[in-house]
Amino acid sequence: MPKTVAFLGPEGTYTDEACFLYAPNETRIPFASLGLVTDALENDEVDEAIVPIENSLGGTVIEVVDYLINSDKAHIIAELLLPIDHCLITRPGVHISDIRVVMSKQEALTQCREFLSTELRFAEQVPTASTALAVTDLKESDDRTAAIGPRRSAELAGLPVSAQGIQDRQNNVTRFAVLSSNGNLIDGANKTSIAFDFDRPDAPGSLFDALSAFASRNINLVKIESRPTGKGMGNYIFLIDFEGSVEDENAQEAINQLRKHTSTFKVFGSYPRAKGL
């Protein structure tokens, strides 16, 4: 029986593309917001969910991280990288010089600022709820309107791509996390994500001691960042990704040492590291 995988819809979004790449033969179910995606997983309406967790330009997706911190069920079982390749999509037979309106999600418009300012400097920029919605709306628009979105959205809508790779920076990549409420350990796991805060946030050397727990055991940290806990100024929760599985002996030793000084500690998951990371 095919498993069900939730994603942020509608079809034609970058998350839809990531979901298609991850689970081409499974039942993929779109939801209108990230909150509805995570609710579906939390309420056992789907088997898995795929969510954007980090972008190379925009950083961490806070809504997803906060969900992982607070959920008692969800954990990461896989990750994948998707290059964000923005395309200018038009109606058939339209030339770029004819365009006077460009629709897309605000983030996409911002990421294509240079192209828009040089090639479409006379076009009005109209934000939409998603890149896919912009392309869907384009089908009902006139020939003076274009949309910015992924190639997949153009293919689904049957519309031509007039220009591709129009983003200002070519290293625009989104990291997606596959979430599950199944607690089984994943085969081939070689990367682990954790979160923690300190029982005494003002104690000198707390962060140094935490990092030393990994450094002294030759565990490589591939990412570390912090965000406010909401408990007051100066209170932070730390997010760390490290090489290895939570089942590795040296990782267990580091975690046991770290737990002695934390009030919150959570393993987001151990999973296979995405190629290219």
Side-chain angles (χ1 to χ4, degrees):
M1 181 178 178
K3 63 183 175 184
T4 53
V5 185
F7 70 94
L8 176 62
E11 287 189 334
T13 61
Y14 286 105
T15 307
D16 169 45
E17 184 175 352
C19 191
F20 177 77
L21 291 172
Y22 169 70
N25 300 317
E26 309 295 351
T27 301
R28 303 182 302 276
I29 304 175
F31 288 86
S33 69
L34 277 175
L36 291 175
V37 170
T38 54
D39 283 348
L41 183 67
E42 200 72 12
N43 297 328
D44 297 321
E45 297 171 16
V46 294
D47 299 311
E48 297 174 1
I50 186 165
V51 292
I53 195 169
E54 182 183 7
N55 179 262
S56 60
L57 302 182
T60 297
V61 181
I62 298 302
E63 184 176 353
V64 172
V65 170
D66 284 350
Y67 167 68
L68 286 169
I69 291 171
N70 293 305
S71 174
D72 293 326
K73 300 172 65 174
H75 62 279
I76 302 172
I77 61 169
E79 66 176 7
L80 66 154
L81 302 178
L82 181 69
I84 303 302
D85 184 30
H86 290 314
C87 298
L88 183 71
I89 302 164
T90 63
R91 293 168 60 82
V94 173
H95 299 287
I96 291 181
S97 58
D98 299 328
I99 298 170
R100 292 296 178 268
V101 175
V102 181
M103 304 183 297
S104 195
K105 192 174 181 179
Q106 183 59 58
E107 288 88 338
L109 294 171
T110 300
Q111 291 169 3
C112 299
R113 185 179 294 126
E114 183 176 337
F115 178 88
L116 292 173
S117 64
T118 56
E119 302 296 329
L120 293 168
R121 60 184 181 277
F122 299 118
E124 178 187 3
Q125 298 177 27
V126 178
T128 57
S130 72
T131 53
L133 181 61
V135 177
T136 300
D137 289 348
L138 181 60
K139 296 180 68 173
E140 307 302 324
S141 302
D142 59 35
D143 289 347
R144 291 159 54 89
T145 304
I148 293 175
R151 178 175 289 277
R152 177 168 167 79
S153 65
E155 293 172 349
L156 290 171
L159 294 172
V161 171
S162 294
Q164 66 180 25
I166 64 173
Q167 62 272 12
D168 296 348
R169 298 174 64 176
Q170 298 305 310
N171 61 341
N172 187 357
V173 178
T174 295
R175 173 181 165 230
F176 288 88
V178 181
L179 309 182
S180 173
S181 57
N182 185 327
N184 296 337
L185 185 67
I186 303 301
D187 292 337
N190 58 3
K191 181 179 178 182
T192 300
S193 298
I194 63 173
F196 61 90
D197 63 7
F198 297 109
D199 52 4
R200 294 178 56 209
D202 56 347
S206 295
L207 184 56
F208 176 82
D209 290 342
L211 299 182
S212 295
F214 296 94
S216 64
R217 294 171 175 83
N218 295 315
I219 299 174
N220 185 39
L221 304 184
V222 295
K223 178 183 176 183
I224 178 170
E225 65 177 291
S226 63
R227 65 174 267 90
T229 62
K231 300 176 182 177
M233 189 65 69
N235 288 272
Y236 296 93
I237 191 161
F238 293 87
L239 312 171
I240 285 181
D241 293 348
F242 64 85
E243 291 181 348
S245 169
V246 73
E247 293 294 303
D248 295 343
E249 183 177 356
N250 60 345
Q252 290 186 7
E253 291 175 354
I255 287 172
N256 289 336
Q257 180 178 331
L258 186 59
R259 283 183 185 273
K260 297 175 182 178
H261 308 288
T262 60
S263 59
T264 300
F265 181 87
K266 183 127 186 228
V267 176
F268 287 165
S270 287
Y271 47 91
R273 188 174 184 179
K275 294 180 179 179
L277 272 176

